[in-house]
Amino acid sequence: MTAVTATTADTFRPALHYAARNTWLNDPNGLIHHEGIYHLYYQNNPLDNVWGNMSWGHATSPDLLTWTEHPVAIACDETEDVFSGSVVFDRANTSGFGTGARAPLVAVYTSAFKEPSSRDGIQAQSLAYSLDGGYNWTKYAGNPVLDRGSANFRDPKVFRYDGDAGSYWVMVAVEANDFKVVLYKSNDLKSWELLSSFGPANATGGVWECPDLFPLPVDGDPDNLKWVLIVNLNPGGPNNGSAGQYFVGDFDGVKFTSVTTVTEGPQDPARLAEYQWLDWGRDYYAAVSFSDAPDNRRLMIGWMNNWEYANKIPTSPWRGPMSLVREVSLRTIEGNPRMVQHVAGDLTSLRGHGPSFSLEAVEIPDGQHVLTGAAGSAQRIDLSLVPGTAEEMGIVVRGNGVEGTRIGIRPAEGYIIVDRRESGQTDFHESFASVDTAPIQTRNGAYELTIFVDRCSVEVFAKEGEVTLTELIFPSRSSTGVSLYAVGGTAIANKLSVTQYA
Ligand code: FRU
């Protein structure tokens, strides 16, 4: 086992994102807003900073930006690892875990059974409950509650369905290797009945994991609800490795029917760009949504990492940050329902916040041009670019003249790119030094980008949040420069504003 030791300079510890203090984390689990607090549980190795000993770590936040770490919530034991799952507030005490005044929080997680369990090798769904608002958890003595005898049945996401078909709990989980989401119903969270299954469809380049299913109004119209099915998959993302796709459709209480399916059965590699992606970058995985978020907001977090190199990223003593929390909604775009995403937390509330640099309507000459006064290592950048004669135009962040991460547009090709080949440390894994792309077109002649830069990441929101790219980077601490650039001609920066965070 690798020893967990504190390094002198924790260069990459995020300023704006959650990371565990000194341990490994992967998927967000059990996301719930309860009694005024956001709870983030997560796949955690309490003993090390590589994957193993899977348990649920725990952090809380009042504002989705500042997080407090708590002791491990649900620990592995000699018979099981505690894999991904969700938490619901069982208001009416349907499970019977509640006592008198207090209704329980119930965690539904995957037991990954191991020796000496008689179920060694099986993945089945189990329960744990909390009567103190999510801090202390007791595993249910009747576990597992749902066992199909499968080795790849995991990641239950449970929600309360109230509709024409009745009122009951619904679980979505995966048969990972069959590229199937399976749906179950229950009245008490303990006994489950199969409703239906969905898949294979669209991207099937890797196992299906961590599903989610929720309703959203289209264009904000409460009379026009559509359901969104989230399916994470690994590998098989649009730029390789782990990624999330989504389907939009209807759920009648029994079956999910997609209106955005492009291909059924095994994927068509030539059509990968037609599938709907939660994020086009390399580092947004296992994203699922919060239960009971206030004001009907649908808030999601992804694990900001990729299984291709997750155990190798050069952070210490911790490993694996979470993404910023995103609010997702549905908008009609060219006649189709599409997910759009925005950062959910109010960053203006953060210490050190204030626009520190801005410019308007400047020509970007051919080459790279450092913006004196714009430097920083935790910042929000709003940039509007208008193409000129340049074949590529954009911005370099976390730069020092030698290294830097290039975020640019290639108008003729209709691509946005994030180029992290010179972003800093890249040699810890052969596939890390990448140029990742997503299709993009102008809106009213301009490309609008909002970019969140942190100590080891960039999150790019383009096309008003319809296209996002999330990428890890590992620059030197002193690489804080921001530059505009144009290649093979000129372009216009209509607007640029850089907001710094401490
Ligand atoms: C996704 C995943 C889940 C599983 C968990 C184990 O990243 O593989 O399917 O529950 O991680 O840590």
Side-chain angles (χ1 to χ4, degrees), residues 77-81 111-124 143-144 147-151:
D77 61 28
E78 60 287 355
T79 64
E80 67 171 20
D81 282 335
S111 294
F113 288 107
K114 54 193 184 187
E115 273 187 42
S117 165
S118 58
R119 289 186 163 91
D120 178 27
I122 294 292
Q123 296 183 347
N143 284 341
D147 181 0
R148 300 161 48 111
S150 166

Side-chain angles (χ1 to χ4, degrees), residues 13 42 249 356 368 391:
R13 177 169 292 284
Y42 48 86
S356 62
Q368 190 174 321
E391 69 204 42

Side-chain angles (χ1 to χ4, degrees), residues 9 24 43 51 72 113 120 138 140 144 150 160 167 177 196 199 234 264 267 276 287 289 305 316 353 390 404 425 445:
W24 162 273
Q43 288 288 281
W51 189 87
V72 167
F113 288 107
D120 178 27
T138 307
Y140 172 46
S150 166
R160 187 80 194 168
S167 180
N177 298 18
S196 62
N234 176 55
E264 299 205 40
Q267 73 178 27
Q276 302 314 311
S289 71
N305 214 335
S316 178
H353 155 267
Q425 288 186 47

Side-chain angles (χ1 to χ4, degrees), residues 10-270:
D10 189 351
T11 310
F12 301 123
R13 177 169 292 284
L16 307 174
H17 298 77
Y18 181 70
R21 194 170 56 82
N22 61 0
T23 55
W24 162 273
L25 68 74
N26 56 289
D27 315 357
N29 296 155
L31 304 173
I32 190 164
H33 182 260
H34 188 63
E35 294 172 348
I37 301 281
Y38 292 95
H39 291 265
L40 162 63
Y41 303 90
Y42 48 86
Q43 288 288 281
N44 179 226
N45 182 348
L47 306 175
D48 206 342
N49 65 359
V50 292
W51 189 87
N53 308 303
M54 294 326 291
S55 302
W56 280 25
H58 185 202
T60 54
S61 175
D63 59 6
L64 300 170
L65 290 169
T66 48
W67 295 94
T68 304
E69 186 167 329
H70 300 282
V72 167
I74 309 176
C76 63
D77 61 28
E78 60 287 355
T79 64
E80 67 171 20
D81 282 335
V82 179
F83 275 16
S84 288
S86 51
V87 166
V88 290
F89 178 41
D90 183 13
R91 284 181 186 76
N93 194 23
T94 62
S95 60
F97 292 137
T99 50
R102 194 117 201 198
L105 287 172
V106 180
V108 189
Y109 67 88
T110 298
S111 294
F113 288 107
K114 54 193 184 187
E115 273 187 42
S117 165
S118 58
R119 289 186 163 91
D120 178 27
I122 294 292
Q123 296 183 347
Q125 313 324 321
S126 290
L127 307 179
Y129 59 92
S130 170
L131 298 173
D132 67 353
Y135 297 91
N136 289 287
W137 293 83
T138 307
K139 288 181 181 174
Y140 172 46
N143 284 341
V145 294
L146 179 54
D147 181 0
R148 300 161 48 111
S150 166
N152 294 290
F153 172 39
R154 60 179 178 268
D155 307 341
K157 177 78 201 282
V158 174
F159 63 92
R160 187 80 194 168
Y161 172 78
D162 268 302
D164 293 345
S167 180
Y168 42 82
W169 300 107
V170 172
M171 175 197 295
V172 287
V174 290
E175 275 295 349
N177 298 18
D178 300 341
F179 318 111
K180 268 192 192 330
V181 174
V182 289
L183 289 81
Y184 282 82
K185 76 182 263 197
S186 174
N187 291 319
D188 60 3
L189 296 165
K190 291 173 175 162
S191 99
W192 292 91
E193 176 193 329
L194 183 65
L195 288 173
S196 62
S197 72
F198 175 85
N202 288 4
T204 60
V207 294
W208 281 20
E209 298 184 317
C210 301
D212 197 354
L213 179 63
F214 48 80
L216 278 178
V218 181
D219 302 320
D221 176 1
D223 296 327
N224 185 12
L225 283 189
K226 285 280 178 202
W227 287 75
V228 178
L229 177 69
I230 304 287
V231 179
N232 288 277
L233 78 159
N234 176 55
N239 282 295
N240 292 320
S242 319
Q245 64 176 328
Y246 69 90
F247 299 86
V248 184
D250 298 299
F251 176 60
D252 62 5
V254 176
K255 198 174 161 42
F256 173 77
T257 316
S258 162
V259 298
T260 58
T261 296
V262 176
T263 56
E264 299 205 40
Q267 73 178 27
D268 180 347

Side-chain angles (χ1 to χ4, degrees), residues 362-421:
V362 299
E363 189 182 67
I364 313 172
D366 199 347
Q368 190 174 321
H369 315 281
V370 176
L371 302 172
T372 310
S377 61
Q379 44 189 205
R380 171 184 170 143
I381 299 173
D382 291 283
L383 174 61
S384 168
L385 289 166
V386 178
T389 54
E391 69 204 42
E392 184 181 318
M393 60 194 174
I395 193 161
V396 178
V397 299
R398 299 302 313 267
N400 68 357
V402 180
E403 64 182 34
T405 300
R406 227 154 45 99
I407 300 162
I409 307 282
R410 299 183 68 89
E413 290 162 45
Y415 278 119
I416 178 169
I417 67 161
V418 178
D419 179 350
R420 62 178 182 184
R421 287 173 302 176

